[in-house]
Amino acid sequence: MKNEKSIQVLGAFGTKAKGFGTTSFLVNPTTAIDAGNLLDALEERSIEIENIYLTHSHLDHIVDIAYILDNYFSLRTKTLNIMGLPETIEAVKESFLNDTIWPDFSTIKLYGKDEMVIKYTEIKEGEVYQISEDETITPFLTDHTVASCGYIYTKENNSIMITADTYSLENVQKIIENDKCITSLILECSFSNNMKELAIESKHLTSELLFEQLNKFQRDDFSLYINHIKPTYREKIYSEIEDFKGKWKPKVLNDKDFITF
């Protein structure tokens, strides 16, 4: 990690394209939030990942669980813990790592060991999970088409809030206005404004929808980052963010960025 209080953006975009990775953040060398772009970003270093906190079950957030296990199976020495809401864990087990789409690694032992390759852990909204002596991660509910959550990652009393995919920011606003330790916020902006109906139907945001909600916030003393842009529409979305940002000073994230908080 580049800085003691930083996270690395492994994948910043809303769908895969050549040169663009989907959602994934490395909060420390052994812990990631989402698994959209672990393999390309980390390569062999992905064997160090011990915990993946999933925001929800959509493919662009889980896909590289399959590939980091497949590519580096013989090198892994520790079980990979997949953590998520009960509905997310159920979806991954039944529809993804199910011996039909991909092997069920929860029934396969680590190479030369008795422990299984992966295990599943269900998490609860609002519960604080200790990931090291001075690091915690706390899930909060978000508004998407499937059960979903974001995470507040805290290190030494400084926090960054990652929403992942969401439409309504009501819960985000409530939390951030009651937690002054949150100094950075990552929000999505998936579609251009001419695709507003699709954004609403799929519970994503356009720049106009995003800043309409942000302008209701009482707090504005935090750093604002934007991710999950669809690469095909990125230039149009970048321009629209400039049009609608008003008082805000957002930074659009790219793969390999570091965020200090």
Side-chain angles (χ1 to χ4, degrees), residues 79-191:
T79 297
L80 177 63
N81 189 15
I82 307 298
M83 309 182 74
L85 297 173
E87 299 92 335
T88 303
I89 296 299
E90 181 181 8
V92 172
K93 291 167 70 173
E94 292 189 359
S95 302
F96 184 36
L97 304 181
N98 60 358
D99 280 336
T100 300
I101 301 299
W102 207 254
D104 177 2
F105 281 99
S106 68
T107 65
I108 299 172
K109 291 182 179 180
L110 288 163
Y111 188 70
K113 295 182 177 291
D114 290 329
E115 296 85 3
M116 297 301 176
V117 175
I118 68 170
K119 67 176 181 179
Y120 296 103
T121 301
E122 295 181 358
I123 60 174
K124 296 180 180 179
E125 170 204 5
E127 189 159 322
V128 179
Y129 295 88
Q130 199 82 33
I131 58 176
S132 77
E133 184 177 340
D134 59 357
E135 294 171 285
T136 63
I137 193 165
T138 307
F140 62 93
L141 295 183
T142 53
D143 179 26
H144 199 36
T145 55
V146 295
S148 62
C149 66
Y151 292 100
I152 300 167
Y153 168 65
T154 301
K155 184 169 185 178
E156 298 175 355
N157 298 317
N158 285 82
S159 302
I160 183 168
M161 188 177 197
I162 302 169
T163 68
D165 299 12
T166 191
Y167 172 68
S168 170
L169 299 183
E170 288 183 12
N171 195 35
V172 174
Q173 180 180 0
K174 179 181 177 182
I175 293 168
I176 201 169
E177 290 181 353
N178 287 282
D179 188 350
K180 300 297 184 182
C181 291
I182 299 173
T183 59
S184 297
L185 173 62
I186 303 175
L187 295 173
E188 69 130 281
C189 184
S190 297
F191 294 107

Side-chain angles (χ1 to χ4, degrees), residues 18-68:
K18 185 175 181 180
F20 299 93
T22 55
T23 305
S24 189
F25 301 92
L26 190 67
V27 300
N28 68 29
T30 62
T31 304
I33 294 175
D34 280 340
N37 196 42
L38 299 178
L39 186 63
D40 184 59
L42 296 176
E43 297 181 329
E44 192 171 315
R45 285 192 297 141
S46 65
I47 64 175
E48 299 173 19
I49 299 295
E50 298 175 24
N51 302 288
I52 299 175
Y53 286 83
L54 297 177
T55 60
H56 63 292
S57 58
H58 284 163
L59 189 62
D60 56 319
H61 296 257
I62 68 172
V63 63
D64 269 5
I65 297 172
Y67 296 123
I68 64 170

Side-chain angles (χ1 to χ4, degrees), residues 218-236:
Q218 298 300 307
R219 274 192 71 188
D220 60 7
D221 58 337
F222 51 84
S223 299
L224 176 63
Y225 300 92
I226 295 175
N227 77 328
H228 208 266
I229 289 172
K230 303 289 186 182
T232 303
Y233 316 120
R234 66 187 186 280
E235 296 303 328
K236 186 172 179 59

